[in-house]
Amino acid sequence: MIGSSRNLARIISIANQKGGVGKTTTAINLAAALAASELRVLLVDSDPQGNSTSGVGVQKNEDRKTVYDVLLKEASVKDATTTAQAEGLDLLSADQNLVATNLDLVEAEGRESRLKNALAEVSGQSDYILIDCPPALDLLTLKALVASDSVLIPIQCEFFAREGISQLVDTVDRIKDAFNPTLRIEGVLLTMYDDRTNLTRQVEADLREFFADEVFTVVIPRSVRLAEAPSFGKSILTYDPRSRGAEAYIQLAKEILAHEQRNRPQSAQSAR
């Protein structure tokens, strides 16, 4: 077991304003991989499409409280949380009602901190809280980043990869200045990786040169099995535990845990 001695959960947003880069796939499977390490994980679905919700085998229904109710202060995180299929993994679900959040809270006082304050009430009950953000730099993503310790950025190895990520990094910097000075980049994750193509290798080289050690060592392969798993309401660790995709997400979880262990002495030193 690779454990955590923190009293409060580490909160990681998984964000990229570009869709189709493996963001939800990463949220589901990283959560499952951390839970498989005997850690308690809360997955927060903050995307109105609700793909993380269905992807962990939780059915959407009108009676279930969701992150929308939490943001409107009509339910607590504890009351809205449900158990996912994987042991050690809980879910704060989402549905299409979440689209209305940007309008419902447009004039609300302290709207940026709604999710942060709600998660603070349950932070001691999990080791990790992962937030699956929508593919947009909107109010939902802002709330997630304000609530987070760090942001993990999945990025597909394609021609405009570095150009697309610069806008998100700029947003992170602005949020650090205005709302969350301790927010940092957890890492850049290369997804849908196919080393048979020259483009993939070139983009990887460019990203590793530009972001240096902020790029995770592990890469997530392009995989039919990874794409299939959510349609069965399963993580890849349950759907095909011996696949390359499952192994990649297990290695990603180990890399994140190793980063935390290395950074913990520095954090403790800074706190004194």
Side-chain angles (χ1 to χ4, degrees), residues 13 46 71 73 101-102 105-119 131 138-148 174-175 178-180:
S13 280
S46 191
L71 292 174
K73 297 185 177 180
T101 302
N102 290 330
L105 297 180
V106 67
E107 296 182 356
E109 184 178 354
R111 60 180 186 168
E112 299 87 358
S113 300
R114 286 281 179 105
L115 185 59
K116 176 182 179 179
N117 295 337
L119 292 177
I131 307 175
D138 61 2
L139 186 55
L140 288 170
T141 299
L142 171 62
K143 288 188 185 73
L145 295 178
V146 170
S148 296
R174 293 202 304 272
I175 290 173
F179 302 108
N180 186 358

Side-chain angles (χ1 to χ4, degrees), residues 13-148:
S13 280
I14 300 170
N16 191 324
Q17 76 275 15
K18 188 178 185 305
V21 297
K23 178 180 56 61
T24 297
T25 297
T26 294
I28 292 170
N29 293 301
L30 176 57
L34 289 168
S37 297
E38 300 181 27
L39 297 170
R40 194 76 200 178
V41 182
L42 173 63
L43 175 59
V44 178
D45 191 348
S46 191
D47 186 343
Q49 297 176 88
N51 290 336
S52 277
T53 298
S54 57
V56 295
V58 174
Q59 298 298 316
K60 303 169 191 173
N61 64 63
E62 295 180 357
D63 296 329
R64 176 174 287 114
K65 298 296 184 182
T66 69
V67 67
Y68 175 73
D69 300 292
V70 170
L71 292 174
L72 265 61
K73 297 185 177 180
E74 295 178 355
S76 67
V77 173
K78 181 180 179 180
D79 292 338
T81 296
T82 188
T83 301
Q85 289 185 356
E87 184 176 352
L89 176 59
D90 293 322
L91 173 76
L92 179 55
S93 63
D95 59 24
Q96 61 185 2
N97 290 327
L98 198 53
V99 173
T101 302
N102 290 330
L103 294 176
D104 292 342
L105 297 180
V106 67
E107 296 182 356
E109 184 178 354
R111 60 180 186 168
E112 299 87 358
S113 300
R114 286 281 179 105
L115 185 59
K116 176 182 179 179
N117 295 337
L119 292 177
E121 297 178 5
V122 298
S123 184
Q125 300 172 20
S126 300
D127 295 294
Y128 281 85
I129 297 175
L130 304 185
I131 307 175
D132 182 16
C133 298
L137 296 179
D138 61 2
L139 186 55
L140 288 170
T141 299
L142 171 62
K143 288 188 185 73
L145 295 178
V146 170
S148 296

Side-chain angles (χ1 to χ4, degrees), residues 26 31 34-35 64 80 115 132 136 141 143 145 157 196 203 208 220-221 237 243 263 265 267:
T26 294
L34 289 168
R64 176 174 287 114
L115 185 59
D132 182 16
T141 299
K143 288 188 185 73
L145 295 178
C157 289
R196 296 172 299 179
V203 170
R208 291 193 185 279
I220 307 301
L237 276 74
S243 65
N263 292 332
S267 301

